Amino acid sequence: MARTGLDTNMIISRAAQIVNEVGMENITLKMLADDLGVKPPSLYNHIGGLEDLKMQLMIYGWKQMEQGIIQSVIGVSGYNAIRAGCYAFYEYATENPGLFNAMLWYNKFLNTETMGATSGLFSVLFKVTSSLNISEENCNHIIRTLRGFLEGFSLLVNNEAFGNPISIAESFELSLNVLIEGIKTLEEK
């Protein structure tokens, strides 16, 4: 039953796929090991247990999202970059619901490694907002507002919590437009 070539990246990547299928709360090391074709104790050569797996999934998810946002803002600037970054965030979160859950609910402030999980992503957003001639303090408020909107909206979509039959895509676009118009009022402030 041993599998050659098994490494931590392969384990985390496959675990991310599994949590998207079954949910974060349902993944077990036995399930993961069975899927990978190894015995559960073999996983301990790469991860420290279920809690370590969840922490690694959180970091993995944020890093993957960061790469998507970076790719989305290449070649665009200003408000177009904010829009592109927000769409990249939303698409990643809604295409990876189980992993997104891990990203939000695992403690990012546990240690230096987990604290760095979102630093690159929010650094990109900070660079975009600061290019708009908005004060550093207001840029931080904007990022917090965008994060709250994106995480909340994505969670509602992932949990099918919008009961109204109007288009969710239209609601997202309208909400983003409202936020961007509000951000514009902070220029030179």
Side-chain angles (χ1 to χ4, degrees):
M1 189 169 181
R3 181 171 173 173
T4 58
L6 189 65
D7 64 24
T8 304
N9 291 335
M10 181 187 299
I11 292 168
I12 301 304
S13 177
R14 184 60 192 134
Q17 294 169 351
I18 292 171
V19 299
N20 283 330
E21 295 165 11
V22 304
M24 185 66 171
E25 64 283 354
N26 295 317
I27 193 167
T28 65
L29 293 181
K30 181 177 180 345
M31 178 189 299
L32 179 59
D34 288 349
D35 184 85
L36 292 168
V38 299
K39 294 184 180 191
S42 298
L43 294 176
Y44 288 96
N45 292 324
H46 305 281
I47 57 172
L50 189 57
E51 283 306 306
D52 182 49
L53 175 65
K54 290 177 180 180
M55 180 189 71
Q56 294 301 324
L57 284 168
M58 182 268 293
I59 293 168
Y60 173 86
W62 283 115
K63 294 301 178 189
Q64 293 293 311
M65 182 182 277
E66 176 184 311
Q67 290 306 308
I69 288 175
I70 289 170
Q71 290 301 311
S72 76
V73 300
I74 292 175
V76 292
S77 60
Y79 294 105
N80 289 331
I82 288 175
R83 181 176 302 284
C86 286
Y87 267 98
F89 186 111
Y90 174 69
E91 288 165 5
Y92 186 85
T94 56
E95 290 169 5
N96 297 281
L99 186 57
F100 186 60
N101 227 19
M103 292 162 62
L104 294 183
W105 302 121
Y106 202 85
N107 186 354
K108 289 184 275 298
F109 305 105
L110 190 61
N111 58 43
T112 307
E113 183 182 18
T114 57
M115 284 178 66
T118 58
S119 63
L121 181 145
F122 292 110
S123 174
V124 169
L125 293 177
F126 186 81
K127 286 177 184 170
V128 170
T129 56
S130 15
S131 73
L132 300 171
N133 196 23
I134 295 173
S135 73
E136 182 177 337
E137 181 178 352
N138 282 336
C139 285
N140 284 311
H141 289 305
I142 290 166
I143 291 168
R144 186 175 283 171
T145 301
L146 290 172
R147 181 178 183 183
F149 162 66
L150 292 167
E151 289 182 6
F153 200 97
S154 298
L155 278 174
L156 290 168
V157 169
N158 288 350
N159 289 290
E160 299 177 3
F162 286 119
N164 190 311
I166 64 172
S167 166
I168 291 172
E170 287 177 17
S171 293
F172 183 83
E173 178 67 18
L174 176 71
S175 300
L176 187 53
N177 287 339
V178 167
L179 285 170
I180 288 173
E181 288 305 311
I183 294 169
K184 287 178 181 179
T185 68
L186 296 174
E187 288 179 16
E188 299 184 23
K189 293 183 182 174

